[in-house]
Amino acid sequence: AQSVTQPDIHITVSEGASLELRCNYSYGATPYLFWYVQSPGQGLQLLLKYFSGDTLVQGIKGFEAEFKRSQSSFNLRKPSVHWSDAAEYFCAVGARSSASKIIFGSGTRLSIRP
Amino acid sequence: DVKVTQSSRYLVKRTGEKVFLECVQDMDHENMFWYRQDPGLGLRLIYFSYDVKMKEKGDIPEGYSVSREKKERFSLILESASTNQTSMYLCASSPALDRNTEAFFGQGTRLTVV
C-alpha cells in the first residue's frame, strides 16, 4: 500500500524568497505523484503531476517539482513566492493501476511574511 | 470543465442519525473517492470505488459505508452519526489513472454532529 509523508506542518517564508516543500512517498514501484493546493475556504486545485518521462515537472503558478526515485521524494519548489501563495499544500500518490487509490499526505501550511 | 457536485455545503445532524452525503460527477469517470479532511491530518481516504457497485476500503472506513449504483453518483453513509465524525468531507472523481490524469474535487461538505 502506498503512503505519503509531508514532514513540515507549517512553513513561513518571506515574500520574494524561494520555497521548497518536502514530500516523501512509500510505494513498491514508480508511482503517480501529485501536488494540490487549497487556498482558505477553497477547494483543492492541482498544481502539477508526474506520470513518467522528465523527472522535473512544471506546473501552474510558477511551481515545479522533481521526482527523485533514489530518495522516494517529490519536493515542490518555487523560486520566488507571492503573498497569494499562502495556502495549504498536499502531496499525493497513486498506484500504477487503472483502479488506483490516491493517498494524500497530511499537508504543509504555507504562510508568507510581508 | 469537469464538475464534481456535493449535495450540501453544510450539514448539522444529531448523534445517532443516519446521514447520507451525495456526490455526482458529470465526466463519466470510472473512479470516485470519499475523503475526510481534518486539521493536521490532511485528507484521509474513507472509501474508493473504481466501477459501479465496486468499492474498496480506504484508511478509515470504520463507521462509514458507501453506495455506487450509477456511474455518476457515489454516496457516503454514516449509519449512526457520532460527534467524532464531525469533519469536512470531500468527494473526488478521476478517470483511470493510467490515462495520465488527476482527481477532481468537489467543494466539500462540512458536517457537524451534535
Side-chain angles (χ1 to χ4, degrees), chain A residues 26-88:
Chain A
S26 173
Y27 182 61
T30 301
Y32 298 132
L33 295 161
F34 309 88
W35 274 100
Y36 282 82
V37 61
Q38 186 179 40
S39 298
Q42 302 297 310
L44 276 90
Q45 181 183 23
L46 182 75
L47 282 176
L48 47 77
K49 59 189 176 186
Y50 172 78
F51 273 67
S52 64
D54 193 346
T55 56
L56 184 62
V57 179
Q58 301 298 321
I60 63 171
K61 304 185 181 189
F63 285 93
E64 67 177 26
E66 187 171 11
F67 169 56
K68 292 187 177 179
R69 186 193 311 273
S70 61
Q71 298 176 20
S72 297
S73 69
F74 189 56
N75 294 348
L76 182 71
R77 300 193 294 250
K78 187 170 184 179
S80 175
V81 300
H82 185 261
W83 64 266
S84 60
D85 294 324
E88 189 146 25

Short mmCIF file of all heavy atoms in Angstrom, two decimals, chain A residues 26-88:
data_model
loop_
_atom_site.label_atom_id
_atom_site.label_comp_id
_atom_site.label_asym_id
_atom_site.label_seq_id
_atom_site.Cartn_x
_atom_site.Cartn_y
_atom_site.Cartn_z
N SER A 26 5.99 6.25 -0.05
CA SER A 26 6.33 4.84 0.06
C SER A 26 5.45 4.06 -0.90
O SER A 26 4.22 4.16 -0.82
CB SER A 26 6.10 4.36 1.50
OG SER A 26 6.29 2.97 1.60
N TYR A 27 6.11 3.36 -1.81
CA TYR A 27 5.37 2.55 -2.79
C TYR A 27 6.37 1.62 -3.43
O TYR A 27 7.52 1.96 -3.62
CB TYR A 27 4.71 3.45 -3.84
CG TYR A 27 3.88 2.71 -4.86
CD1 TYR A 27 2.78 1.95 -4.46
CD2 TYR A 27 4.19 2.76 -6.21
CE1 TYR A 27 2.03 1.25 -5.40
CE2 TYR A 27 3.44 2.08 -7.14
CZ TYR A 27 2.37 1.32 -6.74
OH TYR A 27 1.61 0.65 -7.65
N GLY A 28 5.93 0.42 -3.78
CA GLY A 28 6.84 -0.60 -4.26
C GLY A 28 7.37 -0.40 -5.66
O GLY A 28 8.36 -1.01 -6.05
N ALA A 29 6.74 0.47 -6.41
CA ALA A 29 7.18 0.72 -7.80
C ALA A 29 7.13 2.23 -8.02
O ALA A 29 6.94 2.99 -7.09
CB ALA A 29 6.27 -0.02 -8.76
N THR A 30 7.32 2.65 -9.24
CA THR A 30 7.21 4.08 -9.53
C THR A 30 5.75 4.48 -9.50
O THR A 30 4.94 3.92 -10.24
CB THR A 30 7.82 4.39 -10.91
OG1 THR A 30 9.18 3.99 -10.92
CG2 THR A 30 7.73 5.89 -11.18
N PRO A 31 5.42 5.42 -8.66
CA PRO A 31 4.01 5.80 -8.52
C PRO A 31 3.63 6.95 -9.44
O PRO A 31 4.49 7.51 -10.12
CB PRO A 31 3.94 6.25 -7.07
CG PRO A 31 5.28 6.90 -6.86
CD PRO A 31 6.27 6.11 -7.69
N TYR A 32 2.37 7.28 -9.46
CA TYR A 32 1.92 8.57 -9.96
C TYR A 32 2.00 9.55 -8.77
O TYR A 32 1.65 9.19 -7.65
CB TYR A 32 0.49 8.50 -10.45
CG TYR A 32 0.27 7.54 -11.60
CD1 TYR A 32 -0.77 6.63 -11.58
CD2 TYR A 32 1.10 7.56 -12.71
CE1 TYR A 32 -0.98 5.75 -12.62
CE2 TYR A 32 0.89 6.68 -13.76
CZ TYR A 32 -0.15 5.78 -13.72
OH TYR A 32 -0.36 4.92 -14.75
N LEU A 33 2.43 10.77 -9.01
CA LEU A 33 2.63 11.74 -7.94
C LEU A 33 1.95 13.06 -8.28
O LEU A 33 1.95 13.48 -9.45
CB LEU A 33 4.13 11.97 -7.70
CG LEU A 33 4.88 10.75 -7.18
CD1 LEU A 33 6.37 10.89 -7.41
CD2 LEU A 33 4.59 10.55 -5.70
N PHE A 34 1.40 13.69 -7.28
CA PHE A 34 0.63 14.92 -7.47
C PHE A 34 0.96 15.92 -6.36
O PHE A 34 1.27 15.53 -5.23
CB PHE A 34 -0.88 14.64 -7.38
CG PHE A 34 -1.37 13.51 -8.25
CD1 PHE A 34 -1.36 12.21 -7.78
CD2 PHE A 34 -1.86 13.75 -9.51
CE1 PHE A 34 -1.82 11.16 -8.56
CE2 PHE A 34 -2.33 12.71 -10.31
CZ PHE A 34 -2.30 11.42 -9.83
N TRP A 35 0.82 17.19 -6.70
CA TRP A 35 0.75 18.25 -5.70
C TRP A 35 -0.53 19.05 -5.93
O TRP A 35 -0.82 19.47 -7.06
CB TRP A 35 1.94 19.22 -5.80
CG TRP A 35 3.15 18.78 -5.05
CD1 TRP A 35 4.26 18.17 -5.56
CD2 TRP A 35 3.40 18.94 -3.65
NE1 TRP A 35 5.18 17.94 -4.57
CE2 TRP A 35 4.67 18.41 -3.38
CE3 TRP A 35 2.68 19.51 -2.59
CZ2 TRP A 35 5.25 18.41 -2.11
CZ3 TRP A 35 3.24 19.51 -1.33
CH2 TRP A 35 4.51 18.96 -1.09
N TYR A 36 -1.30 19.21 -4.83
CA TYR A 36 -2.51 20.02 -4.86
C TYR A 36 -2.35 21.19 -3.89
O TYR A 36 -1.62 21.09 -2.90
CB TYR A 36 -3.72 19.19 -4.40
CG TYR A 36 -4.29 18.24 -5.43
CD1 TYR A 36 -3.71 16.99 -5.65
CD2 TYR A 36 -5.41 18.59 -6.17
CE1 TYR A 36 -4.24 16.12 -6.59
CE2 TYR A 36 -5.95 17.71 -7.11
CZ TYR A 36 -5.36 16.49 -7.32
OH TYR A 36 -5.89 15.63 -8.25
N VAL A 37 -3.09 22.26 -4.17
CA VAL A 37 -3.10 23.41 -3.28
C VAL A 37 -4.54 23.72 -2.88
O VAL A 37 -5.48 23.54 -3.67
CB VAL A 37 -2.46 24.65 -3.94
CG1 VAL A 37 -3.20 25.07 -5.21
CG2 VAL A 37 -2.36 25.81 -2.98
N GLN A 38 -4.69 24.13 -1.63
CA GLN A 38 -6.01 24.51 -1.13
C GLN A 38 -5.90 25.88 -0.46
O GLN A 38 -5.32 25.99 0.63
CB GLN A 38 -6.53 23.47 -0.13
CG GLN A 38 -7.96 23.71 0.32
CD GLN A 38 -8.44 22.63 1.28
OE1 GLN A 38 -7.69 22.18 2.14
NE2 GLN A 38 -9.67 22.20 1.12
N SER A 39 -6.44 26.89 -1.10
CA SER A 39 -6.47 28.22 -0.50
C SER A 39 -7.59 28.27 0.52
O SER A 39 -8.53 27.48 0.44
CB SER A 39 -6.67 29.27 -1.59
OG SER A 39 -5.59 29.24 -2.50
N PRO A 40 -7.50 29.20 1.48
CA PRO A 40 -8.50 29.25 2.55
C PRO A 40 -9.92 29.31 2.01
O PRO A 40 -10.25 30.16 1.17
CB PRO A 40 -8.13 30.54 3.30
CG PRO A 40 -6.66 30.68 3.07
CD PRO A 40 -6.42 30.17 1.68
N GLY A 41 -10.76 28.40 2.46
CA GLY A 41 -12.16 28.38 2.05
C GLY A 41 -12.40 27.88 0.65
O GLY A 41 -13.54 27.94 0.16
N GLN A 42 -11.36 27.39 -0.01
CA GLN A 42 -11.49 26.95 -1.39
C GLN A 42 -11.33 25.43 -1.52
O GLN A 42 -10.89 24.76 -0.57
CB GLN A 42 -10.42 27.63 -2.26
CG GLN A 42 -10.48 29.14 -2.23
CD GLN A 42 -11.77 29.66 -2.80
OE1 GLN A 42 -12.19 29.28 -3.89
NE2 GLN A 42 -12.43 30.55 -2.06
N GLY A 43 -11.65 24.94 -2.69
CA GLY A 43 -11.45 23.53 -2.97
C GLY A 43 -10.01 23.24 -3.35
O GLY A 43 -9.17 24.13 -3.39
N LEU A 44 -9.72 21.98 -3.62
CA LEU A 44 -8.36 21.58 -3.99
C LEU A 44 -8.14 21.77 -5.49
O LEU A 44 -8.98 21.40 -6.31
CB LEU A 44 -8.12 20.11 -3.65
CG LEU A 44 -7.70 19.88 -2.20
CD1 LEU A 44 -8.92 19.67 -1.34
CD2 LEU A 44 -6.77 18.67 -2.10
N GLN A 45 -6.98 22.32 -5.80
CA GLN A 45 -6.61 22.57 -7.19
C GLN A 45 -5.29 21.88 -7.48
O GLN A 45 -4.35 21.96 -6.69
CB GLN A 45 -6.46 24.08 -7.42
CG GLN A 45 -6.08 24.46 -8.84
CD GLN A 45 -5.87 25.95 -9.02
OE1 GLN A 45 -5.60 26.69 -8.07
NE2 GLN A 45 -5.99 26.42 -10.25
N LEU A 46 -5.21 21.20 -8.61
CA LEU A 46 -3.98 20.53 -8.99
C LEU A 46 -2.93 21.54 -9.41
O LEU A 46 -3.18 22.41 -10.25
CB LEU A 46 -4.24 19.57 -10.15
CG LEU A 46 -3.02 18.76 -10.60
CD1 LEU A 46 -2.71 17.66 -9.60
CD2 LEU A 46 -3.26 18.17 -11.99
N LEU A 47 -1.73 21.43 -8.81
CA LEU A 47 -0.60 22.27 -9.22
C LEU A 47 0.21 21.59 -10.32
O LEU A 47 0.59 22.22 -11.31
CB LEU A 47 0.33 22.51 -8.03
CG LEU A 47 -0.07 23.54 -7.00
CD1 LEU A 47 0.94 23.56 -5.86
CD2 LEU A 47 -0.19 24.92 -7.63
N LEU A 48 0.49 20.30 -10.14
CA LEU A 48 1.28 19.56 -11.11
C LEU A 48 1.19 18.08 -10.80
O LEU A 48 0.72 17.68 -9.73
CB LEU A 48 2.74 20.03 -11.13
CG LEU A 48 3.46 20.18 -9.78
CD1 LEU A 48 3.90 18.86 -9.19
CD2 LEU A 48 4.65 21.11 -9.92
N LYS A 49 1.67 17.27 -11.76
CA LYS A 49 1.62 15.82 -11.60
C LYS A 49 2.80 15.20 -12.33
O LYS A 49 3.31 15.76 -13.31
CB LYS A 49 0.31 15.27 -12.13
CG LYS A 49 0.08 15.56 -13.61
CD LYS A 49 -1.33 15.20 -14.05
CE LYS A 49 -1.53 15.61 -15.51
NZ LYS A 49 -2.93 15.43 -15.96
N TYR A 50 3.20 14.02 -11.85
CA TYR A 50 4.23 13.25 -12.52
C TYR A 50 3.66 11.87 -12.84
O TYR A 50 3.16 11.17 -11.95
CB TYR A 50 5.48 13.09 -11.64
CG TYR A 50 6.46 12.13 -12.24
CD1 TYR A 50 7.29 12.52 -13.29
CD2 TYR A 50 6.54 10.81 -11.78
CE1 TYR A 50 8.17 11.62 -13.87
CE2 TYR A 50 7.42 9.92 -12.35
CZ TYR A 50 8.23 10.33 -13.40
OH TYR A 50 9.10 9.44 -13.98
N PHE A 51 3.78 11.51 -14.13
CA PHE A 51 3.38 10.17 -14.53
C PHE A 51 4.56 9.37 -15.08
O PHE A 51 4.74 8.20 -14.77
CB PHE A 51 2.25 10.23 -15.57
CG PHE A 51 0.89 10.30 -14.95
CD1 PHE A 51 0.50 11.42 -14.23
CD2 PHE A 51 0.00 9.25 -15.06
CE1 PHE A 51 -0.74 11.49 -13.62
CE2 PHE A 51 -1.26 9.31 -14.47
CZ PHE A 51 -1.63 10.43 -13.75
N SER A 52 5.35 10.02 -15.92
CA SER A 52 6.51 9.34 -16.50
C SER A 52 7.34 10.39 -17.22
O SER A 52 6.95 11.56 -17.32
CB SER A 52 6.08 8.24 -17.48
OG SER A 52 5.39 8.81 -18.57
N GLY A 53 8.50 9.97 -17.71
CA GLY A 53 9.33 10.88 -18.50
C GLY A 53 10.18 11.79 -17.66
O GLY A 53 10.72 11.38 -16.63
N ASP A 54 10.31 13.03 -18.09
CA ASP A 54 11.16 14.01 -17.42
C ASP A 54 10.83 14.11 -15.94
O ASP A 54 9.67 14.31 -15.57
CB ASP A 54 10.98 15.37 -18.09
CG ASP A 54 12.05 16.38 -17.69
OD1 ASP A 54 12.77 16.12 -16.69
OD2 ASP A 54 12.16 17.41 -18.35
N THR A 55 11.84 13.96 -15.11
CA THR A 55 11.58 13.93 -13.66
C THR A 55 11.38 15.32 -13.08
O THR A 55 10.99 15.44 -11.92
CB THR A 55 12.74 13.24 -12.93
OG1 THR A 55 13.97 13.90 -13.25
CG2 THR A 55 12.83 11.77 -13.34
N LEU A 56 11.66 16.36 -13.83
CA LEU A 56 11.38 17.73 -13.40
C LEU A 56 10.09 18.16 -14.08
O LEU A 56 10.02 18.25 -15.31
CB LEU A 56 12.54 18.66 -13.76
CG LEU A 56 12.41 20.10 -13.28
CD1 LEU A 56 12.36 20.15 -11.75
CD2 LEU A 56 13.55 20.95 -13.80
N VAL A 57 9.09 18.43 -13.27
CA VAL A 57 7.75 18.71 -13.78
C VAL A 57 7.39 20.16 -13.52
O VAL A 57 7.56 20.66 -12.40
CB VAL A 57 6.73 17.79 -13.09
CG1 VAL A 57 5.33 18.07 -13.59
CG2 VAL A 57 7.09 16.33 -13.28
N GLN A 58 6.88 20.81 -14.53
CA GLN A 58 6.43 22.20 -14.38
C GLN A 58 4.93 22.22 -14.15
O GLN A 58 4.18 21.43 -14.73
CB GLN A 58 6.75 22.99 -15.64
CG GLN A 58 8.24 23.00 -15.98
CD GLN A 58 9.08 23.66 -14.91
OE1 GLN A 58 8.68 24.67 -14.32
NE2 GLN A 58 10.26 23.10 -14.65
N GLY A 59 4.49 23.13 -13.28
CA GLY A 59 3.08 23.23 -13.01
C GLY A 59 2.57 24.65 -13.18
O GLY A 59 3.23 25.50 -13.77
N ILE A 60 1.39 24.87 -12.63
CA ILE A 60 0.80 26.21 -12.73
C ILE A 60 1.38 27.13 -11.66
O ILE A 60 2.03 26.65 -10.71
CB ILE A 60 -0.73 26.14 -12.60
CG1 ILE A 60 -1.14 25.59 -11.23
CG2 ILE A 60 -1.31 25.28 -13.72
CD1 ILE A 60 -2.63 25.69 -10.94
N LYS A 61 1.17 28.42 -11.82
CA LYS A 61 1.55 29.43 -10.83
C LYS A 61 3.05 29.47 -10.57
O LYS A 61 3.48 29.91 -9.51
CB LYS A 61 0.80 29.22 -9.51
CG LYS A 61 -0.70 29.19 -9.65
CD LYS A 61 -1.37 29.09 -8.28
CE LYS A 61 -2.87 29.03 -8.43
NZ LYS A 61 -3.59 29.15 -7.17
N GLY A 62 3.87 28.99 -11.50
CA GLY A 62 5.32 29.05 -11.35
C GLY A 62 5.93 27.96 -10.50
O GLY A 62 7.11 28.02 -10.16
N PHE A 63 5.16 26.97 -10.13
CA PHE A 63 5.67 25.86 -9.32
C PHE A 63 6.30 24.77 -10.20
O PHE A 63 5.91 24.58 -11.34
CB PHE A 63 4.54 25.23 -8.49
CG PHE A 63 4.12 26.06 -7.32
CD1 PHE A 63 3.08 26.97 -7.43
CD2 PHE A 63 4.77 25.93 -6.10
CE1 PHE A 63 2.69 27.75 -6.35
CE2 PHE A 63 4.38 26.70 -5.01
CZ PHE A 63 3.34 27.60 -5.13
N GLU A 64 7.26 24.07 -9.60
CA GLU A 64 7.85 22.90 -10.22
C GLU A 64 8.12 21.86 -9.13
O GLU A 64 8.16 22.18 -7.94
CB GLU A 64 9.15 23.23 -10.96
CG GLU A 64 10.29 23.65 -10.05
CD GLU A 64 11.57 23.91 -10.83
OE1 GLU A 64 11.52 24.24 -12.03
OE2 GLU A 64 12.65 23.79 -10.19
N ALA A 65 8.29 20.61 -9.55
CA ALA A 65 8.61 19.54 -8.61
C ALA A 65 9.54 18.56 -9.31
O ALA A 65 9.49 18.39 -10.53
CB ALA A 65 7.35 18.83 -8.13
N GLU A 66 10.37 17.93 -8.51
CA GLU A 66 11.32 16.98 -9.05
C GLU A 66 11.13 15.61 -8.42
O GLU A 66 11.15 15.48 -7.18
CB GLU A 66 12.76 17.45 -8.82
CG GLU A 66 13.78 16.57 -9.52
CD GLU A 66 15.18 17.14 -9.49
OE1 GLU A 66 15.42 18.13 -8.76
OE2 GLU A 66 16.04 16.59 -10.20
N PHE A 67 10.94 14.61 -9.24
CA PHE A 67 10.82 13.24 -8.79
C PHE A 67 12.22 12.65 -8.66
O PHE A 67 12.97 12.63 -9.64
CB PHE A 67 10.00 12.43 -9.80
CG PHE A 67 10.03 10.94 -9.59
CD1 PHE A 67 9.66 10.39 -8.37
CD2 PHE A 67 10.42 10.08 -10.60
CE1 PHE A 67 9.68 9.02 -8.17
CE2 PHE A 67 10.44 8.71 -10.42
CZ PHE A 67 10.08 8.18 -9.20
N LYS A 68 12.55 12.18 -7.46
CA LYS A 68 13.84 11.52 -7.23
C LYS A 68 13.57 10.11 -6.72
O LYS A 68 13.25 9.91 -5.54
CB LYS A 68 14.68 12.32 -6.23
CG LYS A 68 15.15 13.67 -6.75
CD LYS A 68 16.09 14.35 -5.80
CE LYS A 68 16.62 15.66 -6.37
NZ LYS A 68 17.54 16.36 -5.45
N ARG A 69 13.73 9.17 -7.61
CA ARG A 69 13.43 7.77 -7.27
C ARG A 69 14.31 7.27 -6.14
O ARG A 69 13.85 6.61 -5.23
CB ARG A 69 13.62 6.89 -8.50
CG ARG A 69 13.19 5.44 -8.34
CD ARG A 69 13.73 4.61 -9.49
NE ARG A 69 13.44 5.22 -10.77
CZ ARG A 69 12.33 5.04 -11.45
NH1 ARG A 69 11.40 4.25 -10.98
NH2 ARG A 69 12.15 5.63 -12.63
N SER A 70 15.58 7.63 -6.16
CA SER A 70 16.53 7.12 -5.16
C SER A 70 16.20 7.60 -3.76
O SER A 70 16.54 6.96 -2.77
CB SER A 70 17.96 7.55 -5.53
OG SER A 70 18.06 8.97 -5.55
N GLN A 71 15.54 8.76 -3.68
CA GLN A 71 15.18 9.31 -2.37
C GLN A 71 13.70 9.16 -2.07
O GLN A 71 13.24 9.63 -1.02
CB GLN A 71 15.57 10.80 -2.33
CG GLN A 71 17.07 11.03 -2.48
CD GLN A 71 17.43 12.50 -2.53
OE1 GLN A 71 16.67 13.36 -2.10
NE2 GLN A 71 18.60 12.82 -3.07
N SER A 72 12.95 8.56 -2.97
CA SER A 72 11.49 8.44 -2.81
C SER A 72 10.89 9.80 -2.47
O SER A 72 10.08 9.92 -1.54
CB SER A 72 11.13 7.42 -1.72
OG SER A 72 11.59 6.14 -2.08
N SER A 73 11.29 10.81 -3.22
CA SER A 73 10.83 12.16 -2.91
C SER A 73 10.22 12.84 -4.13
O SER A 73 10.51 12.48 -5.28
CB SER A 73 11.98 13.01 -2.36
OG SER A 73 12.93 13.28 -3.37
N PHE A 74 9.41 13.82 -3.87
CA PHE A 74 8.76 14.62 -4.92
C PHE A 74 8.55 16.00 -4.32
O PHE A 74 7.46 16.42 -4.01
CB PHE A 74 7.44 13.96 -5.33
CG PHE A 74 6.78 14.58 -6.55
CD1 PHE A 74 7.46 14.69 -7.76
CD2 PHE A 74 5.46 15.01 -6.51
CE1 PHE A 74 6.86 15.22 -8.88
CE2 PHE A 74 4.85 15.55 -7.63
CZ PHE A 74 5.56 15.66 -8.81
N ASN A 75 9.64 16.74 -4.16
CA ASN A 75 9.59 18.05 -3.49
C ASN A 75 9.10 19.13 -4.44
O ASN A 75 9.45 19.17 -5.62
CB ASN A 75 10.97 18.41 -2.95
CG ASN A 75 11.41 17.49 -1.84
OD1 ASN A 75 10.61 16.71 -1.31
ND2 ASN A 75 12.68 17.56 -1.50
N LEU A 76 8.34 20.05 -3.88
CA LEU A 76 7.75 21.16 -4.63
C LEU A 76 8.60 22.40 -4.42
O LEU A 76 8.99 22.70 -3.29
CB LEU A 76 6.32 21.42 -4.14
CG LEU A 76 5.52 22.51 -4.83
CD1 LEU A 76 5.12 22.07 -6.24
CD2 LEU A 76 4.27 22.83 -4.01
N ARG A 77 8.83 23.14 -5.50
CA ARG A 77 9.68 24.34 -5.39
C ARG A 77 9.06 25.51 -6.14
O ARG A 77 8.29 25.33 -7.09
CB ARG A 77 11.06 24.06 -5.98
CG ARG A 77 11.83 22.93 -5.32
CD ARG A 77 13.27 22.93 -5.72
NE ARG A 77 13.45 22.62 -7.13
CZ ARG A 77 13.99 21.48 -7.58
NH1 ARG A 77 14.34 20.54 -6.73
NH2 ARG A 77 14.15 21.28 -8.88
N LYS A 78 9.43 26.70 -5.67
CA LYS A 78 9.08 27.92 -6.38
C LYS A 78 10.20 28.92 -6.12
O LYS A 78 10.60 29.10 -4.96
CB LYS A 78 7.73 28.48 -5.93
CG LYS A 78 7.26 29.66 -6.77
CD LYS A 78 5.83 30.04 -6.47
CE LYS A 78 5.38 31.15 -7.42
NZ LYS A 78 3.97 31.57 -7.21
N PRO A 79 10.73 29.56 -7.15
CA PRO A 79 11.89 30.43 -6.95
C PRO A 79 11.58 31.71 -6.18
O PRO A 79 12.46 32.23 -5.49
CB PRO A 79 12.35 30.75 -8.38
CG PRO A 79 11.25 30.36 -9.28
CD PRO A 79 10.39 29.38 -8.57
N SER A 80 10.36 32.21 -6.28
CA SER A 80 10.03 33.47 -5.63
C SER A 80 8.55 33.47 -5.28
O SER A 80 7.70 33.52 -6.17
CB SER A 80 10.36 34.65 -6.56
OG SER A 80 9.95 35.88 -6.00
N VAL A 81 8.23 33.42 -3.99
CA VAL A 81 6.83 33.29 -3.59
C VAL A 81 6.16 34.66 -3.54
O VAL A 81 6.79 35.69 -3.31
CB VAL A 81 6.67 32.58 -2.24
CG1 VAL A 81 7.25 31.18 -2.32
CG2 VAL A 81 7.30 33.38 -1.10
N HIS A 82 4.85 34.61 -3.73
CA HIS A 82 4.00 35.79 -3.70
C HIS A 82 3.02 35.63 -2.54
O HIS A 82 2.72 34.50 -2.12
CB HIS A 82 3.25 35.88 -5.05
CG HIS A 82 2.43 37.09 -5.23
ND1 HIS A 82 1.07 37.11 -5.02
CD2 HIS A 82 2.77 38.36 -5.60
CE1 HIS A 82 0.60 38.33 -5.24
NE2 HIS A 82 1.60 39.10 -5.59
N TRP A 83 2.50 36.74 -2.03
CA TRP A 83 1.58 36.66 -0.89
C TRP A 83 0.40 35.74 -1.21
O TRP A 83 -0.14 35.07 -0.33
CB TRP A 83 1.08 38.05 -0.48
CG TRP A 83 0.25 38.74 -1.53
CD1 TRP A 83 0.68 39.62 -2.48
CD2 TRP A 83 -1.15 38.58 -1.75
NE1 TRP A 83 -0.35 40.01 -3.28
CE2 TRP A 83 -1.50 39.41 -2.86
CE3 TRP A 83 -2.16 37.84 -1.13
CZ2 TRP A 83 -2.80 39.49 -3.33
CZ3 TRP A 83 -3.45 37.93 -1.60
CH2 TRP A 83 -3.76 38.75 -2.71
N SER A 84 0.01 35.69 -2.47
CA SER A 84 -1.15 34.87 -2.84
C SER A 84 -0.85 33.36 -2.79
O SER A 84 -1.76 32.55 -2.94
CB SER A 84 -1.63 35.23 -4.25
OG SER A 84 -0.59 35.02 -5.19
N ASP A 85 0.41 32.99 -2.57
CA ASP A 85 0.75 31.58 -2.45
C ASP A 85 0.44 31.02 -1.06
O ASP A 85 0.54 29.80 -0.85
CB ASP A 85 2.24 31.35 -2.76
CG ASP A 85 2.59 31.64 -4.20
OD1 ASP A 85 1.75 31.35 -5.09
OD2 ASP A 85 3.69 32.16 -4.46
N ALA A 86 0.07 31.87 -0.13
CA ALA A 86 -0.30 31.39 1.20
C ALA A 86 -1.49 30.46 1.09
O ALA A 86 -2.56 30.84 0.60
CB ALA A 86 -0.63 32.57 2.11
N ALA A 87 -1.31 29.21 1.53
CA ALA A 87 -2.33 28.18 1.34
C ALA A 87 -1.83 26.91 2.02
O ALA A 87 -0.77 26.89 2.63
CB ALA A 87 -2.55 27.91 -0.15
N GLU A 88 -2.61 25.85 1.87
CA GLU A 88 -2.16 24.54 2.32
C GLU A 88 -1.84 23.70 1.09
O GLU A 88 -2.60 23.70 0.12
CB GLU A 88 -3.20 23.86 3.19
CG GLU A 88 -2.68 22.60 3.85
CD GLU A 88 -3.26 22.35 5.23
OE1 GLU A 88 -4.36 22.84 5.51
OE2 GLU A 88 -2.59 21.64 6.03
#
